[in-house]
Amino acid sequence: LPTDKLIILSVGVLNASEKRFDYLISEMKCSVCSNLFLFGVGDFDDETSSIIEQAERQLGNQNFKFLSLSSDEMPEVYACADVICQPSMGEGFGKVYVEALLSGIPLICHDFTVSREVLENNAIYGDLSKQGELAYLLNNMEGLISNHNIDEGRNFAISKYEWDNLKEKYLDMFKYFYLK
């Protein structure tokens, strides 16, 4: 990965229909920032080849890399990123959101019910259904990153999602539903 560019990490199936890599690539192309590098990590599917073609056309081969890696390798991946961008319009839960918080990396995501429930105020939200919204956020990335509180997001994720803090809630839920 380049050391002289801002690494934008996006994690998930490398496609347009779910994870909206097409939108991410188009918005990076529209950004006035010339030092952006897209690092996409996730499973490849039947849409991935068209995403790669779009990235080659709009960003150039030197400005992106797509890999499929194991979950064991993800801590190293997060450590490489300057910002995480998840432009999907919906998530079942958003494991990447929690991983982003734990890694201390600023996260840009679509503002919707699940993202607000999982992240509360610990993300950079935008209406990523709008063309130009993500490009605007990327253009203002330096200010957004400097205002990011690493410890606050990490502490929030630990208090809400670490197993030791969740197990009592799970046991209570189990007792409520199954031991009435």
Side-chain angles (χ1 to χ4, degrees), residues 10 19-20 22-24 27 84-90 97 107-112 115 124-138:
S10 193
K19 299 303 179 181
R20 300 185 67 228
D22 59 330
Y23 173 79
L24 177 54
E27 293 292 296
I84 298 168
C85 183
Q86 294 299 113
S88 57
M89 303 293 288
Y97 295 162
L107 170 66
I108 297 173
C109 64
H110 182 62
D111 192 353
F112 70 110
S115 62
I124 301 162
Y125 292 102
D127 183 353
L128 303 187
S129 67
K130 294 181 179 175
Q131 221 169 346
E133 179 79 3
L134 181 56
Y136 171 80
L137 292 171
L138 293 172

Side-chain angles (χ1 to χ4, degrees), residues 4 7 9 19 38 77 80 99 101 119 121 125 176 180:
D4 61 337
I7 307 294
L9 173 65
K19 299 303 179 181
L38 174 57
V77 169
C80 297
E99 290 174 348
L101 290 177
L119 298 164
N121 293 321
Y125 292 102
Y176 177 80
K180 286 184 176 183

Side-chain angles (χ1 to χ4, degrees), residues 19-166:
K19 299 303 179 181
R20 300 185 67 228
F21 273 88
D22 59 330
Y23 173 79
L24 177 54
I25 292 165
S26 295
E27 293 292 296
M28 286 179 67
K29 171 72 174 158
C30 291
S31 170
V32 296
C33 297
S34 60
N35 68 332
L36 301 178
F37 184 90
L38 174 57
F39 187 23
V41 177
D43 292 332
F44 288 45
D45 72 3
D46 57 343
E47 295 179 41
T48 303
S49 60
S50 65
I51 294 298
I52 292 170
E53 290 170 10
Q54 180 188 3
E56 288 171 345
R57 210 174 42 255
Q58 293 185 338
L59 301 178
N61 287 328
Q62 71 282 5
N63 293 315
F64 77 94
K65 184 175 198 76
F66 294 140
L67 296 174
S68 184
L69 300 171
S70 72
S71 58
D72 294 342
E73 297 170 287
M74 290 309 294
E76 291 179 56
V77 169
Y78 284 107
C80 297
D82 295 299
V83 66
I84 298 168
C85 183
Q86 294 299 113
S88 57
M89 303 293 288
E91 293 285 341
F93 170 72
K95 177 182 170 190
V96 173
Y97 295 162
V98 176
E99 290 174 348
L101 290 177
L102 290 171
S103 71
I105 309 296
L107 170 66
I108 297 173
C109 64
H110 182 62
D111 192 353
F112 70 110
T113 307
V114 172
S115 62
R116 286 287 179 172
E117 177 66 30
V118 173
L119 298 164
E120 295 184 10
N121 293 321
N122 295 290
I124 301 162
Y125 292 102
D127 183 353
L128 303 187
S129 67
K130 294 181 179 175
Q131 221 169 346
E133 179 79 3
L134 181 56
Y136 171 80
L137 292 171
L138 293 172
N139 292 340
N140 294 289
M141 189 51 52
E142 287 184 23
L144 295 171
I145 290 173
S146 66
N147 290 331
H148 179 71
N149 186 325
I150 292 170
D151 291 331
E152 187 176 310
R154 188 177 287 137
N155 290 339
F156 168 80
I158 289 169
S159 69
K160 191 166 182 179
Y161 299 110
E162 192 170 63
W163 178 245
D164 286 341
N165 298 324
L166 282 177

